[in-house]
Amino acid sequence: MPSSIDRKPIGSDTISAIGLGSYGIKNYSKAFEAYVYGLTNGIDHVDTAEMYDMGKAEEFIGEVLKHVGRDGVFITTKMLPNRLEDKERIIKTAQESLRRMGINYVDLYLIHWPNERLSITQQVQNFEALIEKGLTRYIGVSNFSLSQLKEAVHATKKAPIVALQIHYSVLNRKEVEEQLLPYCVSNKITLQAYTPIERGSVKDNPCVKVVSERTGKTPIQVSLNYLISHENVVAIPEAERVEHVKELIGAMGWRIPEAHMNYLKKCLE
């Protein structure tokens, strides 16, 4: 079960080291049961986006929130970059997302990826309109390179960048760990790892299998624990079944022993 080691800072809040992502859900009725289970058993944050299933994922989050309540759930959503050229459009887009979820604000709003037609500085400063309007508590970015992240951090006038969402897993770790993660830690930015179990394919990695056998944890749990063992990292896997969510929860409350962690890092090189 989750413990104090699995509370991760984000802004002035803390959240569970594992959250629930909503990209690629195929069976919303099964996912509903899984999300409710997770949010009542130690997981306290969810991730979605207007892009996911053309808004249906946000509607799904709304249904879950009706059941578990808004309080105590840290909600992240993301805005498409083509919305960022006009503040009024940004506000309207956010209001539509909030309407789909049936809430008045999200905790964290991310730029889904950079708008190539607009400077990072301009799009970030436009995005800050969401803070001014009270539509989100925090802002952040997704799929930004290190140079883009640095520009975003220095561009803000009304609210800091508190999160970077990026593809990070035991199979996709080099650039993140060498460049992005050190900068995030130094600047108190939470790194949200998406596709952290590579749609389940981490189960077949021989390095992960060895550590799984040595720790008595599943390959999925080892792969997630590897990520959340790093400072300022949370993971947001997608799960549609209660048994899968139980496995995700089991990735918290412990840490891979140092010797096994060293083996895993060397083996994965």
Side-chain angles (χ1 to χ4, degrees):
M1 286 295 291
S3 69
S4 60
I5 62 171
D6 291 306
R7 300 303 301 174
K8 298 283 186 159
I10 187 164
S12 58
D13 294 67
T14 63
I15 55 176
S16 57
I18 302 290
L20 293 172
S22 61
Y23 176 75
I25 293 175
K26 297 177 179 64
N27 186 320
Y28 283 107
S29 60
K30 283 187 177 179
F32 178 85
E33 184 181 2
Y35 265 64
V36 169
Y37 181 87
L39 291 172
T40 51
N41 285 277
I43 291 175
D44 65 4
H45 64 105
V46 296
D47 175 82
T48 189
E50 60 165 307
M51 173 185 171
Y52 296 168
D53 205 4
M54 300 176 64
K56 290 182 181 178
E58 288 183 329
E59 292 175 356
F60 164 73
I61 294 297
E63 291 302 311
V64 171
L65 294 174
K66 286 179 185 176
H67 192 83
V68 303
R70 171 67 178 90
D71 293 342
V73 181
F74 190 98
I75 303 163
T76 300
T77 194
K78 297 178 283 296
M79 187 175 293
L80 288 168
N82 63 353
R83 321 289 199 200
L84 302 175
E85 296 173 23
D86 179 80
K87 290 184 180 181
E88 289 186 8
R89 190 177 187 193
I90 288 170
I91 292 166
K92 181 180 179 183
T93 299
Q95 289 171 336
E96 289 171 353
S97 285
L98 294 173
R99 178 185 53 77
R100 283 191 288 270
M101 290 184 276
I103 56 179
N104 297 321
Y105 68 94
V106 293
D107 297 283
L108 174 63
Y109 227 126
L110 305 178
I111 295 174
H112 207 151
W113 63 87
N115 182 324
E116 295 180 357
R117 299 189 301 273
L118 206 61
S119 73
I120 298 294
T121 295
Q122 189 60 63
Q123 57 192 284
V124 167
Q125 290 178 359
N126 285 350
F127 201 58
E128 287 182 298
L130 299 176
I131 293 284
E132 292 180 284
K133 291 290 184 179
L135 303 178
T136 185
R137 297 173 59 226
Y138 302 116
I139 58 170
V141 296
S142 178
N143 299 304
F144 274 44
S145 67
L146 179 58
S147 62
Q148 291 168 332
L149 176 60
K150 287 180 177 179
E151 186 175 349
V153 166
H154 290 110
T156 58
K157 291 183 176 181
K158 300 177 178 68
I161 298 294
V162 304
L164 167 70
Q165 192 172 118
I166 203 81
H167 180 194
Y168 179 32
S169 73
V170 293
L171 307 183
N172 187 73
R173 54 189 277 273
K174 186 175 176 62
E175 180 183 358
V176 174
E177 292 179 3
E178 290 182 357
Q179 299 182 31
L180 289 164
L181 185 52
Y183 182 81
C184 286
V185 171
S186 295
N187 289 275
K188 298 181 180 179
I189 295 169
T190 303
L191 193 149
Q192 296 177 315
Y194 72 74
T195 322
I197 55 175
E198 299 292 351
R199 296 175 175 84
S201 66
V202 294
K203 292 185 294 186
D204 302 317
N205 183 271
C207 304
V208 173
K209 284 182 176 180
V210 168
V211 177
S212 172
E213 292 169 1
R214 291 177 179 177
T215 58
K217 303 294 184 178
T218 70
I220 294 291
Q221 291 170 337
V222 167
S223 298
L224 289 171
N225 193 267
Y226 172 87
L227 299 180
I228 66 175
S229 293
H230 290 79
E231 189 176 355
N232 282 34
V233 174
V234 301
I236 46 172
E238 180 265 337
E240 293 186 34
R241 299 168 66 179
V242 169
E243 54 265 39
H244 292 160
V245 173
K246 288 180 179 179
E247 185 176 21
L248 301 183
I249 293 170
M252 297 188 283
W254 59 284
R255 287 292 181 264
I256 298 170
E258 185 177 0
H260 299 339
M261 180 68 91
N262 291 338
Y263 164 84
L264 189 56
K265 288 182 176 180
K266 187 173 182 180
C267 184
L268 289 165
E269 288 180 353

